Amino acid sequence: MAMKKLWIWSLLLLTACGGGWSPWERQVIGAGQDPMYVTVLPLDSAILRTPSSEVSAAQLKSGELKELAHQMLRTVTHPSQDGVGIAAPQVGINRRVVWVQRFDKPGEPFECYVNVGLDSLFGEITHGPEGCLSVPPMRGYVPRYSGVVVHYTDLETGAVCRERVEGYTAIIFQHECDHLDGILYIDRADTVFVSESWARERQGLDYTRPAWWKP
Ligand code: ZN
């Protein structure tokens, strides 16, 4: 009985120390790569096709979440990537964390959303061009709604927030939330084609897996 109690306390202590992050997640975050390795098809399809889990209350307060968010932002804004959004599975972590560039706000800032999801879709359906850092060097025309209502967890208060977003930013939210459900834009696209400008726009982009990358 005493041994069992000791075992349970050890497990609780281990979980608390790790902030609820798995050894793999701590390895990716701890590697501190700048920019981070971006997962690609077909090599990393296991990660890209896995639905992501919620970030737990313990993880919300952890230094690892702040570090992950910081590294993801540096990756999506890196000149070699030049993206407008990124989701955690694209850096090897199946958690519901994304960055979205808010083209609907002054200064077009990047903002981080945790435990993000779509409550509803509304408005017209348009068929605009999309690409994805994880699907080089392709582009495609994808039907998307012009508006979404998103929910996410406020990092300061832990409360669930809801927001109505329209226009191009709403399309980015749809693309990034799809990533968290293991869905890629090529699954929804009317047409997919090789983009001649892809490589030109992303000179210096390195898709070499780090030596330690063994998910
Ligand atoms: Zn993408």
Side-chain angles (χ1 to χ4, degrees), residues 105-117:
K105 291 189 176 181
E108 301 178 350
F110 274 87
E111 292 186 353
C112 185
Y113 297 92
V114 174
N115 292 341
V116 61

Side-chain angles (χ1 to χ4, degrees), residues 134-185:
S134 296
V135 192
M138 314 298 288
R139 284 194 198 284
Y141 283 87
V142 189
R144 298 284 191 191
Y145 286 88
S146 62
V148 293
V149 176
V150 297
H151 66 261
Y152 57 89
T153 301
D154 184 284
L155 293 176
E156 298 297 319
T157 64
V160 177
C161 303
R162 287 191 162 71
E163 189 179 346
R164 187 184 160 98
V165 182
E166 292 182 65
Y168 184 47
T169 308
I171 290 168
I172 303 171
F173 268 108
Q174 289 168 74
H175 180 115
E176 302 309 333
C177 287
D178 270 351
H179 270 299
L180 304 181
D181 297 329
I183 297 167
L184 299 169
Y185 83 89

Side-chain angles (χ1 to χ4, degrees), residues 19-205:
W21 300 93
S22 72
W24 168 252
E25 289 169 331
R26 274 185 274 127
Q27 185 170 5
V28 171
I29 298 165
Q33 277 210 304
D34 183 20
M36 300 175 92
Y37 168 70
V38 171
T39 53
V40 284
L41 285 186
L43 204 57
D44 301 303
S45 56
I47 290 171
L48 288 166
R49 293 307 195 175
T50 298
S52 290
S53 309
E54 297 267 306
V55 173
S56 69
Q59 288 170 328
L60 272 179
K61 298 189 190 100
S62 68
E64 282 91 343
L65 179 63
K66 288 191 183 74
E67 186 57 34
L68 170 64
H70 171 70
Q71 290 182 26
M72 283 172 65
L73 177 62
R74 288 190 61 89
T75 302
V76 68
T77 57
H78 194 271
S80 67
Q81 296 285 8
D82 194 27
V84 294
I86 193 168
Q90 293 184 275
V91 296
I93 293 189
N94 284 117
R95 297 281 176 186
R96 298 190 75 88
V97 181
V98 303
W99 281 91
V100 170
Q101 188 168 10
R102 295 296 303 253
F103 288 96
D104 55 337
K105 291 189 176 181
E108 301 178 350
F110 274 87
E111 292 186 353
C112 185
Y113 297 92
V114 174
N115 292 341
V116 61
L118 302 179
D119 279 359
S120 60
L121 302 151
F122 62 87
E124 287 181 6
I125 294 176
T126 56
H127 296 244
E130 279 181 44
C132 179
L133 303 176
S134 296
V135 192
M138 314 298 288
R139 284 194 198 284
Y141 283 87
V142 189
R144 298 284 191 191
Y145 286 88
S146 62
V148 293
V149 176
V150 297
H151 66 261
Y152 57 89
T153 301
D154 184 284
L155 293 176
E156 298 297 319
T157 64
V160 177
C161 303
R162 287 191 162 71
E163 189 179 346
R164 187 184 160 98
V165 182
E166 292 182 65
Y168 184 47
T169 308
I171 290 168
I172 303 171
F173 268 108
Q174 289 168 74
H175 180 115
E176 302 309 333
C177 287
D178 270 351
H179 270 299
L180 304 181
D181 297 329
I183 297 167
L184 299 169
Y185 83 89
I186 51 174
D187 304 338
R188 299 191 187 277
D190 304 322
T191 51
V192 177
F193 54 92
V194 173
S195 167
E196 287 179 7
S197 61
W198 178 278
R200 210 169 40 240
E201 289 166 10
R202 292 178 175 76
Q203 284 180 12
L205 183 57

Side-chain angles (χ1 to χ4, degrees), residues 4-21 26 58 64:
K4 194 175 177 186
K5 263 189 181 168
L6 188 67
W7 184 83
I8 290 170
W9 276 111
S10 304
L11 193 69
L12 283 172
L13 194 65
L14 265 176
T15 310
C17 290
W21 300 93
R26 274 185 274 127
E64 282 91 343

